[in-house]
Amino acid sequence: MTDVVLDHSRAERIGFGEAVLCDAKTVPQLVAVLDQAAEIGLAMLLTRLAPEQYASLPGRHSAALDYDAISGTAFLGQPMPTRGPARIAVVTGGTSDERVASEVLRTLAFHGHAALGVGDVGVAGLWRLQARVPEIAEHPVVIAIAGLEAALPTVLAGLVRGLVIGVPVSTGYGIAEGGRTALHSMLASCANGLVTVNIDNGFGAACAAMRALGATERGSG
């Protein structure tokens, strides 16, 4: 079946629109989604779009997409104008976290949110993080991305005032168990108020950050 019913009013309800998770979809299903979105003029974010899926799309659709292979994301239509200054910091423990960080940053960019990217500041070289903490602390929301034992979000949550959203990633081997150790570490954190999303869920972390900022804006209105 390729029936598609797009949630075209989601942005009006919650502040950001529907995104399409592509990794479990067939090419005909993706074509049906893109056809319907194009028909109604709906700008849309696509996530987990593999290079081979993108390459298999008809030319009319691949040409219409702004595709980024590192993050696996694509923009259909124009992203929202960027609003600044940045209020979200996206912090990674190591370069192996780039794919998930890119998904976060692309999701935020599509929805018009400027963000500060801080890379390769894992706790194995704590001085690297310490040097950037004053800059990170200026942001009301911090997304901390880490694998292995994933100490980074806990450390940050003990150093900054803002909301810290932890993203466990599936980097590592052996006992790291595809990100489960990182997830359990964040869930068991002693840092009060640390929020955690699912393994490799950069999109979800970005959405949580946007919801947090939206709630702050409503509360101050």
Side-chain angles (χ1 to χ4, degrees):
M1 295 179 62
T2 56
D3 289 346
V4 174
V5 182
L6 296 180
D7 187 1
H8 55 81
S9 63
R10 186 178 301 182
E12 298 172 7
R13 299 196 312 273
I14 69 172
F16 48 88
E18 180 179 14
V20 176
L21 177 64
C22 300
D23 60 354
K25 289 182 173 59
T26 65
V27 170
Q29 287 173 330
L30 291 174
V31 169
V33 168
L34 294 170
D35 280 342
Q36 186 175 135
E39 182 179 346
I40 63 176
L42 182 65
M44 180 176 289
L45 173 69
L46 288 76
T47 66
R48 304 292 177 96
L49 179 63
E52 55 270 23
Q53 289 176 302
Y54 174 71
S56 298
L57 291 172
R60 70 182 188 278
H61 288 316
S62 60
L65 295 177
D66 174 356
Y67 178 59
D68 176 67
I70 294 175
S71 64
T73 61
F75 299 167
L76 175 65
Q78 292 298 313
M80 295 181 64
T82 302
R83 304 183 296 276
R87 294 186 294 163
I88 303 169
V90 181
V91 185
T92 68
T95 55
S96 297
D97 307 325
E98 181 182 6
R99 179 181 61 80
V100 176
S102 295
E103 184 179 77
V104 173
L105 291 167
R106 288 268 293 179
T107 300
L108 294 173
F110 183 76
H111 293 95
H113 288 271
L116 169 71
V118 179
D120 200 18
V121 291
V123 300
L126 196 56
W127 62 271
R128 299 177 299 181
L129 178 61
Q130 291 172 315
R132 303 297 299 272
V133 164
E135 185 181 13
I136 294 168
E138 294 175 359
H139 298 76
V141 180
V142 178
I143 298 175
I145 303 166
L148 299 173
E149 85 295 342
L152 178 64
T154 291
V155 172
L156 278 169
L159 293 173
V160 303
R161 282 179 170 269
L163 172 67
V164 178
I165 302 169
V167 186
V169 298
S170 54
T171 54
Y173 48 87
I175 196 65
E177 294 186 327
R180 292 182 186 86
T181 296
L183 174 62
H184 293 165
S185 175
M186 293 183 195
L187 291 174
S189 175
C190 63
N192 296 333
L194 173 65
V195 174
T196 304
V197 297
N198 202 0
I199 298 167
D200 291 340
N201 191 8
F203 168 75
C207 290
M210 291 188 291
R211 283 182 179 269
L213 292 177
T216 300
E217 290 169 354
R218 289 193 295 274
S220 62

